[in-house]
Amino acid sequence: MKIDGLEVKTDEGVQELSLFHRWPVRTPRPVVKKLVPHNPLVTGQRVVDTFFPISQGGTATVPGPFGSGKTVIQHQLAKWSDAHIIVYIGCGERGNEMTDVLQEFPELIDPTSGRPLMERTVLIANTSNMPVAAREASVYTGITIAEYFRDMGLNVAVMADSTSRWAEAMREMSGRLEEMPGEEGYPAYLPSRIADFYERAGRTKCLGRDGRIGTLSVIGAVSPPGGDLSDPVVQATLKVVKVFWSLEDQLAFERHFPAIGWLSSYSLYHDNLKDYFRNEVAERWEGIRAESMELLQKEAELKELVRLVGVDSLSPQDRLILETTKSIREDFLHQSAFDRDDAYTRLSKQFRMLHVILELHRACLKAVERRVPLRQLLDLPVRERISRMRHVPEDGLGQFDAMIEEINSQVADRSREDRAEEE
Amino acid sequence: MVTEYSTIGDIAGPLILLHSVDHATFEELVEVELPDGELRRGKVLEVDHTNVLVQLFEGTRGVDIAKTKVRFLGRGLELSVSLDILGRIFNGLGIPIDDGPKIIPEKRLDINGTPINPYARIYPQKFIQTGISAIDGLNTLVRGQKLPIFSGFGLPHSELAAQIARQATVPSAEAAFAIVFAAMGITFEEANYFIQDFQETGAMERVVLFINLANDPTIERIATPRAALTAAEYLAFERGMHVLVILTDMTNYCEALREVSVARKEIPGRRGYPGYLYTDLATIYERAGLLKGEKKGEVREGSITQIPVLSMPDDDKTHPIPDLTGYITEGQIILDRVLHHKGIYPPINVLPSLSRLRDKGIGEGRTREDHAQVANQLFSSYARSKEVEELAVVLGEAALTETDRAFMAFGERFERTFVQQALNDNRSIEQTLNVGWNLLTMIPRTEIKRIRDEFVEKYLPREDAEPGSGDSTGA
């Protein structure tokens, strides 16, 4: 019996029209063609947007040991990223975490639409004590729902937490089917299944006459045993995703959150997104990002050196670098998900925060070259103001210009004092 | 009429294979009568046409092929519950072993329970005060949480678990409090430590004990935590009590699971543990929490808070058991051998320890407005002190800057006054936070970056106060 819809005659034969779609979840929904993504998925998380951005229609993965904050990051992205629809797949994770989302999201307000966050969220709940066969399917259910909304021309983001549980469900079922196991007991088809899943992401021209463009971004968490990145699920995922946010437990111990390691993470979308940042945020966006990355890289080398010979043997310039990178780490990269001012930072504020830190660095560097003693520069009063700049409200960006003025005047003062002392 | 079968074909480890069985069902309870009249129990693991694989809880020693009789009971393993279970001692299958009267059941409950729909849960956010600073202050336990203790052989995890059970209070608690204790494969002495502790403190009448000692049947161990949690669920969700469940030692449980898996010739996962270890552990750990009431917006009385104890083989956190546990539970309390050797009790290493529910369970109205920020500051300062310590080993203390030296002194005193406390020292959350603030006077003001100015103004002790001294330092 077929009473689902209405039959309509069109040029292409008789078509069925109904108020809903049925779709087999393991088959991707068709599109006209895939396009190259060029807009960032703005997440309000400084380390993500500035250093390792993901595009709308992009793919990212967050592997990390337990306790490194995978789920908090997924929740933050679900809360703050500027997608129209969020599909959150709780795959084999804790029941209380799903409850948290269910209780919190209706109360939170979506910063872009002003409506409760729950209205744009779809949750797929398969907690760790629920049946394994459903777990294997939950990921496909989620992405099919996401594709449905993408076909309406919306920007959709899928968070899968965690794809390791999905892979383990595959392993368990494969074991029960007595299939020949591949690496670590996972079925041999694991890498191709993972690739198929992430390939369903993208910026696409949807079916239909109006040429709608929809995007589907996928962010998958991976929970490798013991945080070991040689795990087959991590390796198979890294082969297909373009953004890698590496969670480090050392950072988590220091309560540096998000615990995304800046030296091991990467994003392959910088080139695609360069124009957007230059035109929409600031001309110098790429410049300051590259400059800070270089400093952080240098810091790692210097720290090795300090370990061997002590901090006193460094040149003043190098010691200044250590001060600056400390400020980048503590004042910029560290972001509290639970602080009301700090949980979300707009791109314009992100740029200014980093800009101020680098301005201070340059000003101090010049002073050091004029032989102003380093200790004079390390206790500048403005440093304390910088360490609190995360609390500057989004509509008070003028304060950053004031900070830059302060930097210049205070550095100038110190240089003058120093000269006066010499005389 | 119950059919008796004497068609045993094979015996392998704890498993027996029966032929020509009609209507056996998965997970069905089985009674086995040995030739000498002894009764044992088992459950159905596999049904393949008329062949049935049965796992015996008490092992297969003495079972023979010819004369042993097997009966299928038509139900799963059940636990008889009523309020009379309080104060009683049961074996791993839930049968009383304390010479007390028989339990007249109000209900029989399937020990496997049912998964809780996340939509029916209430997010745990009520603070439980354990009186232990390293837990209350930095890794706060919340009612309805599952927070395991990761320990090693020879570390005082039993003392800590008993101290938590003794001191745990819920500020403004309205309902009754009960403890369900499940011992799995631990020694008589360890189990006795708990029983004695409960008796001495008069807690025994609120305690239900399930004891499966090291020399009790291994397979019974697989049912032990499930029986205990069934009792807990009854007390919590039908009798409205706040139940604290202590499961010790989960490592022994997992080994029992491995024994069965190997006997069944399953493809092993890491270190010989079965591939479904994660799923299996989840069916235990997820049986904690709070439920919604019948009416909309109502909270059902009662809660289950779990403190599983597990010993990490060779203190290795990446061993499959602690690793998979960490992925399911809401944090972990890690005991550290170095601290233990320094004579610090409880030897909680706060850096890798974590309570995932902390941030929603603390703050204004629950503990104190400054709690979260003080905790973060203490964490990052202690981490810094550890870094400095490493540096000092390489370069010598003389090479350290003044700030570094301040941090090093901070770290030392942090361990001695904040982490360390006596077995009977029960600190209120205010005391804990004050000890923390006193410690923060030891580091330069500019280094206090994780706390809002207003709180620093309000709570940081004045400079003239003696640094590091508190009302209850326990040193």
PDB file of all heavy atoms in Angstrom, chain B residues 160-188:
ATOM      1  N   LEU B 160      41.177   5.510  51.231  1.00  0.00           N
ATOM      2  CA  LEU B 160      40.552   6.685  50.630  1.00  0.00           C
ATOM      3  C   LEU B 160      39.072   6.428  50.361  1.00  0.00           C
ATOM      4  O   LEU B 160      38.215   7.258  50.682  1.00  0.00           O
ATOM      5  CB  LEU B 160      41.287   7.056  49.334  1.00  0.00           C
ATOM      6  CG  LEU B 160      40.766   8.284  48.604  1.00  0.00           C
ATOM      7  CD1 LEU B 160      40.871   9.521  49.479  1.00  0.00           C
ATOM      8  CD2 LEU B 160      41.525   8.508  47.302  1.00  0.00           C
ATOM      9  N   ALA B 161      38.776   5.262  49.778  1.00  0.00           N
ATOM     10  CA  ALA B 161      37.373   4.954  49.473  1.00  0.00           C
ATOM     11  C   ALA B 161      36.553   4.909  50.761  1.00  0.00           C
ATOM     12  O   ALA B 161      35.425   5.428  50.812  1.00  0.00           O
ATOM     13  CB  ALA B 161      37.269   3.628  48.734  1.00  0.00           C
ATOM     14  N   ALA B 162      37.129   4.328  51.815  1.00  0.00           N
ATOM     15  CA  ALA B 162      36.397   4.252  53.076  1.00  0.00           C
ATOM     16  C   ALA B 162      36.201   5.652  53.660  1.00  0.00           C
ATOM     17  O   ALA B 162      35.141   5.971  54.198  1.00  0.00           O
ATOM     18  CB  ALA B 162      37.146   3.362  54.063  1.00  0.00           C
ATOM     19  N   GLN B 163      37.240   6.495  53.532  1.00  0.00           N
ATOM     20  CA  GLN B 163      37.109   7.859  54.060  1.00  0.00           C
ATOM     21  C   GLN B 163      36.016   8.635  53.313  1.00  0.00           C
ATOM     22  O   GLN B 163      35.235   9.366  53.918  1.00  0.00           O
ATOM     23  CB  GLN B 163      38.440   8.608  53.959  1.00  0.00           C
ATOM     24  CG  GLN B 163      38.411   9.928  54.724  1.00  0.00           C
ATOM     25  CD  GLN B 163      39.762  10.647  54.732  1.00  0.00           C
ATOM     26  OE1 GLN B 163      40.713  10.214  54.103  1.00  0.00           O
ATOM     27  NE2 GLN B 163      39.827  11.755  55.444  1.00  0.00           N
ATOM     28  N   ILE B 164      35.966   8.432  52.006  1.00  0.00           N
ATOM     29  CA  ILE B 164      34.914   9.108  51.235  1.00  0.00           C
ATOM     30  C   ILE B 164      33.545   8.617  51.696  1.00  0.00           C
ATOM     31  O   ILE B 164      32.629   9.405  51.950  1.00  0.00           O
ATOM     32  CB  ILE B 164      35.100   8.865  49.722  1.00  0.00           C
ATOM     33  CG1 ILE B 164      36.385   9.536  49.246  1.00  0.00           C
ATOM     34  CG2 ILE B 164      33.907   9.390  48.944  1.00  0.00           C
ATOM     35  CD1 ILE B 164      36.755   9.219  47.814  1.00  0.00           C
ATOM     36  N   ALA B 165      33.420   7.279  51.832  1.00  0.00           N
ATOM     37  CA  ALA B 165      32.131   6.719  52.243  1.00  0.00           C
ATOM     38  C   ALA B 165      31.721   7.270  53.610  1.00  0.00           C
ATOM     39  O   ALA B 165      30.549   7.542  53.860  1.00  0.00           O
ATOM     40  CB  ALA B 165      32.217   5.198  52.293  1.00  0.00           C
ATOM     41  N   ARG B 166      32.700   7.471  54.482  1.00  0.00           N
ATOM     42  CA  ARG B 166      32.425   7.919  55.839  1.00  0.00           C
ATOM     43  C   ARG B 166      32.029   9.383  55.877  1.00  0.00           C
ATOM     44  O   ARG B 166      31.143   9.801  56.596  1.00  0.00           O
ATOM     45  CB  ARG B 166      33.710   7.715  56.645  1.00  0.00           C
ATOM     46  CG  ARG B 166      33.540   7.576  58.121  1.00  0.00           C
ATOM     47  CD  ARG B 166      34.795   6.998  58.740  1.00  0.00           C
ATOM     48  NE  ARG B 166      35.994   7.743  58.377  1.00  0.00           N
ATOM     49  CZ  ARG B 166      37.134   7.191  57.969  1.00  0.00           C
ATOM     50  NH1 ARG B 166      37.220   5.886  57.853  1.00  0.00           N
ATOM     51  NH2 ARG B 166      38.177   7.928  57.659  1.00  0.00           N
ATOM     52  N   GLN B 167      32.747  10.185  55.083  1.00  0.00           N
ATOM     53  CA  GLN B 167      32.591  11.641  55.224  1.00  0.00           C
ATOM     54  C   GLN B 167      31.614  12.254  54.238  1.00  0.00           C
ATOM     55  O   GLN B 167      31.204  13.399  54.431  1.00  0.00           O
ATOM     56  CB  GLN B 167      33.954  12.315  55.025  1.00  0.00           C
ATOM     57  CG  GLN B 167      34.983  11.913  56.063  1.00  0.00           C
ATOM     58  CD  GLN B 167      36.300  12.642  55.857  1.00  0.00           C
ATOM     59  OE1 GLN B 167      36.512  13.272  54.838  1.00  0.00           O
ATOM     60  NE2 GLN B 167      37.171  12.556  56.835  1.00  0.00           N
ATOM     61  N   ALA B 168      31.279  11.541  53.167  1.00  0.00           N
ATOM     62  CA  ALA B 168      30.483  12.168  52.115  1.00  0.00           C
ATOM     63  C   ALA B 168      29.163  12.698  52.665  1.00  0.00           C
ATOM     64  O   ALA B 168      28.393  11.953  53.269  1.00  0.00           O
ATOM     65  CB  ALA B 168      30.219  11.162  51.006  1.00  0.00           C
ATOM     66  N   THR B 169      28.951  13.971  52.461  1.00  0.00           N
ATOM     67  CA  THR B 169      27.673  14.555  52.852  1.00  0.00           C
ATOM     68  C   THR B 169      27.203  15.417  51.707  1.00  0.00           C
ATOM     69  O   THR B 169      27.996  15.961  50.952  1.00  0.00           O
ATOM     70  CB  THR B 169      27.782  15.467  54.080  1.00  0.00           C
ATOM     71  OG1 THR B 169      28.806  16.419  53.828  1.00  0.00           O
ATOM     72  CG2 THR B 169      28.046  14.698  55.336  1.00  0.00           C
ATOM     73  N   VAL B 170      25.914  15.537  51.598  1.00  0.00           N
ATOM     74  CA  VAL B 170      25.349  16.419  50.599  1.00  0.00           C
ATOM     75  C   VAL B 170      24.781  17.599  51.364  1.00  0.00           C
ATOM     76  O   VAL B 170      23.846  17.411  52.137  1.00  0.00           O
ATOM     77  CB  VAL B 170      24.235  15.699  49.831  1.00  0.00           C
ATOM     78  CG1 VAL B 170      23.755  16.544  48.684  1.00  0.00           C
ATOM     79  CG2 VAL B 170      24.718  14.363  49.360  1.00  0.00           C
ATOM     80  N   PRO B 171      25.366  18.780  51.204  1.00  0.00           N
ATOM     81  CA  PRO B 171      24.792  19.921  51.903  1.00  0.00           C
ATOM     82  C   PRO B 171      23.315  20.038  51.539  1.00  0.00           C
ATOM     83  O   PRO B 171      22.947  19.844  50.386  1.00  0.00           O
ATOM     84  CB  PRO B 171      25.599  21.111  51.358  1.00  0.00           C
ATOM     85  CG  PRO B 171      26.848  20.528  50.804  1.00  0.00           C
ATOM     86  CD  PRO B 171      26.514  19.143  50.369  1.00  0.00           C
ATOM     87  N   SER B 172      22.496  20.289  52.504  1.00  0.00           N
ATOM     88  CA  SER B 172      21.042  20.410  52.328  1.00  0.00           C
ATOM     89  C   SER B 172      20.417  19.117  51.818  1.00  0.00           C
ATOM     90  O   SER B 172      19.517  19.139  50.983  1.00  0.00           O
ATOM     91  CB  SER B 172      20.672  21.560  51.380  1.00  0.00           C
ATOM     92  OG  SER B 172      20.892  21.193  50.032  1.00  0.00           O
ATOM     93  N   ALA B 173      20.932  17.962  52.281  1.00  0.00           N
ATOM     94  CA  ALA B 173      20.363  16.701  51.828  1.00  0.00           C
ATOM     95  C   ALA B 173      19.016  16.474  52.498  1.00  0.00           C
ATOM     96  O   ALA B 173      18.882  16.638  53.700  1.00  0.00           O
ATOM     97  CB  ALA B 173      21.299  15.552  52.169  1.00  0.00           C
ATOM     98  N   GLU B 174      18.044  16.083  51.684  1.00  0.00           N
ATOM     99  CA  GLU B 174      16.722  15.861  52.242  1.00  0.00           C
ATOM    100  C   GLU B 174      16.414  14.376  52.376  1.00  0.00           C
ATOM    101  O   GLU B 174      15.740  13.954  53.293  1.00  0.00           O
ATOM    102  CB  GLU B 174      15.633  16.590  51.434  1.00  0.00           C
ATOM    103  CG  GLU B 174      15.609  16.363  49.921  1.00  0.00           C
ATOM    104  CD  GLU B 174      16.869  16.842  49.175  1.00  0.00           C
ATOM    105  OE1 GLU B 174      17.458  17.876  49.519  1.00  0.00           O
ATOM    106  OE2 GLU B 174      17.247  16.135  48.239  1.00  0.00           O
ATOM    107  N   ALA B 175      17.013  13.555  51.479  1.00  0.00           N
ATOM    108  CA  ALA B 175      16.666  12.131  51.492  1.00  0.00           C
ATOM    109  C   ALA B 175      17.708  11.315  52.249  1.00  0.00           C
ATOM    110  O   ALA B 175      18.793  11.793  52.551  1.00  0.00           O
ATOM    111  CB  ALA B 175      16.561  11.621  50.056  1.00  0.00           C
ATOM    112  N   ALA B 176      17.364  10.073  52.537  1.00  0.00           N
ATOM    113  CA  ALA B 176      18.260   9.177  53.264  1.00  0.00           C
ATOM    114  C   ALA B 176      19.445   8.784  52.395  1.00  0.00           C
ATOM    115  O   ALA B 176      19.401   8.879  51.175  1.00  0.00           O
ATOM    116  CB  ALA B 176      17.496   7.939  53.691  1.00  0.00           C
ATOM    117  N   PHE B 177      20.499   8.337  53.044  1.00  0.00           N
ATOM    118  CA  PHE B 177      21.763   8.058  52.387  1.00  0.00           C
ATOM    119  C   PHE B 177      22.106   6.581  52.580  1.00  0.00           C
ATOM    120  O   PHE B 177      21.896   6.044  53.666  1.00  0.00           O
ATOM    121  CB  PHE B 177      22.810   8.955  53.046  1.00  0.00           C
ATOM    122  CG  PHE B 177      24.099   9.021  52.301  1.00  0.00           C
ATOM    123  CD1 PHE B 177      24.187   9.760  51.140  1.00  0.00           C
ATOM    124  CD2 PHE B 177      25.218   8.363  52.769  1.00  0.00           C
ATOM    125  CE1 PHE B 177      25.382   9.833  50.441  1.00  0.00           C
ATOM    126  CE2 PHE B 177      26.412   8.429  52.076  1.00  0.00           C
ATOM    127  CZ  PHE B 177      26.498   9.173  50.913  1.00  0.00           C
ATOM    128  N   ALA B 178      22.566   5.898  51.543  1.00  0.00           N
ATOM    129  CA  ALA B 178      22.928   4.490  51.687  1.00  0.00           C
ATOM    130  C   ALA B 178      24.204   4.203  50.911  1.00  0.00           C
ATOM    131  O   ALA B 178      24.560   4.945  49.994  1.00  0.00           O
ATOM    132  CB  ALA B 178      21.809   3.591  51.176  1.00  0.00           C
ATOM    133  N   ILE B 179      24.901   3.147  51.307  1.00  0.00           N
ATOM    134  CA  ILE B 179      26.119   2.759  50.615  1.00  0.00           C
ATOM    135  C   ILE B 179      25.960   1.324  50.116  1.00  0.00           C
ATOM    136  O   ILE B 179      25.526   0.447  50.867  1.00  0.00           O
ATOM    137  CB  ILE B 179      27.336   2.837  51.550  1.00  0.00           C
ATOM    138  CG1 ILE B 179      27.562   4.278  52.010  1.00  0.00           C
ATOM    139  CG2 ILE B 179      28.591   2.308  50.864  1.00  0.00           C
ATOM    140  CD1 ILE B 179      28.545   4.411  53.149  1.00  0.00           C
ATOM    141  N   VAL B 180      26.260   1.097  48.849  1.00  0.00           N
ATOM    142  CA  VAL B 180      26.293  -0.269  48.326  1.00  0.00           C
ATOM    143  C   VAL B 180      27.737  -0.580  48.006  1.00  0.00           C
ATOM    144  O   VAL B 180      28.405   0.185  47.307  1.00  0.00           O
ATOM    145  CB  VAL B 180      25.416  -0.416  47.070  1.00  0.00           C
ATOM    146  CG1 VAL B 180      25.627  -1.786  46.454  1.00  0.00           C
ATOM    147  CG2 VAL B 180      23.959  -0.218  47.409  1.00  0.00           C
ATOM    148  N   PHE B 181      28.234  -1.654  48.582  1.00  0.00           N
ATOM    149  CA  PHE B 181      29.644  -1.963  48.446  1.00  0.00           C
ATOM    150  C   PHE B 181      29.796  -3.311  47.756  1.00  0.00           C
ATOM    151  O   PHE B 181      29.251  -4.312  48.211  1.00  0.00           O
ATOM    152  CB  PHE B 181      30.272  -1.998  49.848  1.00  0.00           C
ATOM    153  CG  PHE B 181      31.714  -2.356  49.842  1.00  0.00           C
ATOM    154  CD1 PHE B 181      32.663  -1.388  49.589  1.00  0.00           C
ATOM    155  CD2 PHE B 181      32.135  -3.657  50.072  1.00  0.00           C
ATOM    156  CE1 PHE B 181      34.007  -1.706  49.574  1.00  0.00           C
ATOM    157  CE2 PHE B 181      33.479  -3.985  50.053  1.00  0.00           C
ATOM    158  CZ  PHE B 181      34.417  -3.005  49.807  1.00  0.00           C
ATOM    159  N   ALA B 182      30.511  -3.334  46.636  1.00  0.00           N
ATOM    160  CA  ALA B 182      30.725  -4.600  45.931  1.00  0.00           C
ATOM    161  C   ALA B 182      32.204  -4.917  45.919  1.00  0.00           C
ATOM    162  O   ALA B 182      33.002  -4.135  45.408  1.00  0.00           O
ATOM    163  CB  ALA B 182      30.204  -4.512  44.505  1.00  0.00           C
ATOM    164  N   ALA B 183      32.573  -6.050  46.516  1.00  0.00           N
ATOM    165  CA  ALA B 183      33.971  -6.471  46.526  1.00  0.00           C
ATOM    166  C   ALA B 183      34.144  -7.537  45.469  1.00  0.00           C
ATOM    167  O   ALA B 183      33.417  -8.524  45.449  1.00  0.00           O
ATOM    168  CB  ALA B 183      34.331  -7.031  47.891  1.00  0.00           C
ATOM    169  N   MET B 184      35.093  -7.310  44.555  1.00  0.00           N
ATOM    170  CA  MET B 184      35.308  -8.290  43.486  1.00  0.00           C
ATOM    171  C   MET B 184      36.740  -8.756  43.528  1.00  0.00           C
ATOM    172  O   MET B 184      37.660  -7.992  43.240  1.00  0.00           O
ATOM    173  CB  MET B 184      35.025  -7.643  42.137  1.00  0.00           C
ATOM    174  CG  MET B 184      33.565  -7.361  41.918  1.00  0.00           C
ATOM    175  SD  MET B 184      33.379  -6.239  40.556  1.00  0.00           S
ATOM    176  CE  MET B 184      33.756  -4.700  41.321  1.00  0.00           C
ATOM    177  N   GLY B 185      36.936 -10.009  43.924  1.00  0.00           N
ATOM    178  CA  GLY B 185      38.268 -10.596  43.887  1.00  0.00           C
ATOM    179  C   GLY B 185      39.271  -9.940  44.802  1.00  0.00           C
ATOM    180  O   GLY B 185      40.469 -10.040  44.556  1.00  0.00           O
ATOM    181  N   ILE B 186      38.822  -9.226  45.840  1.00  0.00           N
ATOM    182  CA  ILE B 186      39.797  -8.665  46.766  1.00  0.00           C
ATOM    183  C   ILE B 186      39.999  -9.650  47.911  1.00  0.00           C
ATOM    184  O   ILE B 186      39.255 -10.612  48.062  1.00  0.00           O
ATOM    185  CB  ILE B 186      39.395  -7.267  47.286  1.00  0.00           C
ATOM    186  CG1 ILE B 186      38.089  -7.320  48.064  1.00  0.00           C
ATOM    187  CG2 ILE B 186      39.294  -6.298  46.134  1.00  0.00           C
ATOM    188  CD1 ILE B 186      37.749  -6.006  48.735  1.00  0.00           C
ATOM    189  N   THR B 187      41.021  -9.420  48.725  1.00  0.00           N
ATOM    190  CA  THR B 187      41.339 -10.383  49.776  1.00  0.00           C
ATOM    191  C   THR B 187      40.387 -10.190  50.950  1.00  0.00           C
ATOM    192  O   THR B 187      39.736  -9.164  51.085  1.00  0.00           O
ATOM    193  CB  THR B 187      42.765 -10.172  50.276  1.00  0.00           C
ATOM    194  OG1 THR B 187      42.853  -8.844  50.769  1.00  0.00           O
ATOM    195  CG2 THR B 187      43.770 -10.375  49.176  1.00  0.00           C
ATOM    196  N   PHE B 188      40.366 -11.196  51.817  1.00  0.00           N
ATOM    197  CA  PHE B 188      39.523 -11.135  52.998  1.00  0.00           C
ATOM    198  C   PHE B 188      39.875  -9.906  53.832  1.00  0.00           C
ATOM    199  O   PHE B 188      39.006  -9.187  54.316  1.00  0.00           O
ATOM    200  CB  PHE B 188      39.711 -12.405  53.830  1.00  0.00           C
ATOM    201  CG  PHE B 188      39.071 -12.318  55.176  1.00  0.00           C
ATOM    202  CD1 PHE B 188      37.695 -12.450  55.312  1.00  0.00           C
ATOM    203  CD2 PHE B 188      39.825 -12.068  56.306  1.00  0.00           C
ATOM    204  CE1 PHE B 188      37.097 -12.338  56.548  1.00  0.00           C
ATOM    205  CE2 PHE B 188      39.233 -11.972  57.550  1.00  0.00           C
ATOM    206  CZ  PHE B 188      37.866 -12.095  57.677  1.00  0.00           C
TER     207      PHE B 188
END
